[in-house]
Amino acid sequence: MSKKVLLWLVFPAFFLCLFLGIYLHDAYHNSYLLIPSEQSEVITTEEPAEQKKININTADKSELMELEGIGEARAKEIIRYREKRGGFKSIQEIMRISGIGRKSFLKLRDYITVTEE
């Protein structure tokens, strides 16, 4: 095998190993990969207790304020909206409240309902 062919095989293999080593080192230290260690904690598969959803058509101000991102002013606005419109038809309708956009809705949607459970 000529030196030229050998160089075309050795250098790419060397750099491939080098970059793979750097990636694995970085991945290990930045938790890209889950590599178990001897000191790993035991992870239980117990599911957390299901949180009761708050009915935005019947909740009072204090119940609404238990929701993340809902303060006193927004709770009053929710109550005012449902009294004026006869209640929410769907949970998505809460985005019509000033200050509750898509991001806020995505945080709230698992904790609110418009039906009795």
Side-chain angles (χ1 to χ4, degrees):
M1 206 181 311
S2 73
K3 286 185 179 181
K4 203 174 204 180
V5 173
L6 187 60
L7 288 175
W8 280 104
L9 294 175
V10 172
F11 278 117
F14 171 76
F15 286 109
L16 178 65
C17 290
L18 178 67
F19 289 121
L20 182 61
I22 291 170
Y23 170 77
L24 290 175
H25 178 269
D26 192 42
Y28 178 77
H29 290 286
N30 291 317
S31 300
Y32 298 143
L33 302 175
L34 297 175
I35 301 173
S37 68
E38 292 177 17
Q39 299 157 343
S40 295
E41 292 182 28
V42 176
I43 300 173
T44 61
T45 57
E46 292 179 28
E47 303 229 355
E50 190 172 317
Q51 184 173 345
K52 186 175 185 268
K53 291 187 177 188
I54 294 177
N55 186 330
I56 56 176
N57 280 329
T58 60
D60 62 18
K61 184 174 72 170
S62 63
E63 288 174 309
L64 291 168
M65 289 173 59
E66 291 175 15
L67 295 166
E68 182 181 342
I70 305 296
E72 186 174 353
R74 227 168 251 140
K76 286 180 181 178
E77 187 67 29
I78 291 169
I79 293 169
R80 192 174 313 122
Y81 179 92
R82 75 176 184 218
E83 287 173 350
K84 182 178 178 182
R85 307 236 182 204
F88 294 90
K89 308 292 184 268
S90 69
I91 61 172
Q92 291 85 356
E93 201 174 336
I94 199 168
M95 288 189 283
R96 292 185 180 170
I97 303 298
S98 175
I100 301 179
R102 180 168 169 71
K103 282 185 177 181
S104 297
F105 171 72
L106 292 175
K107 291 178 186 175
L108 291 171
R109 70 179 173 188
D110 293 331
Y111 306 102
I112 60 175
T113 185
V114 293
T115 59
E116 294 298 325
E117 294 181 1

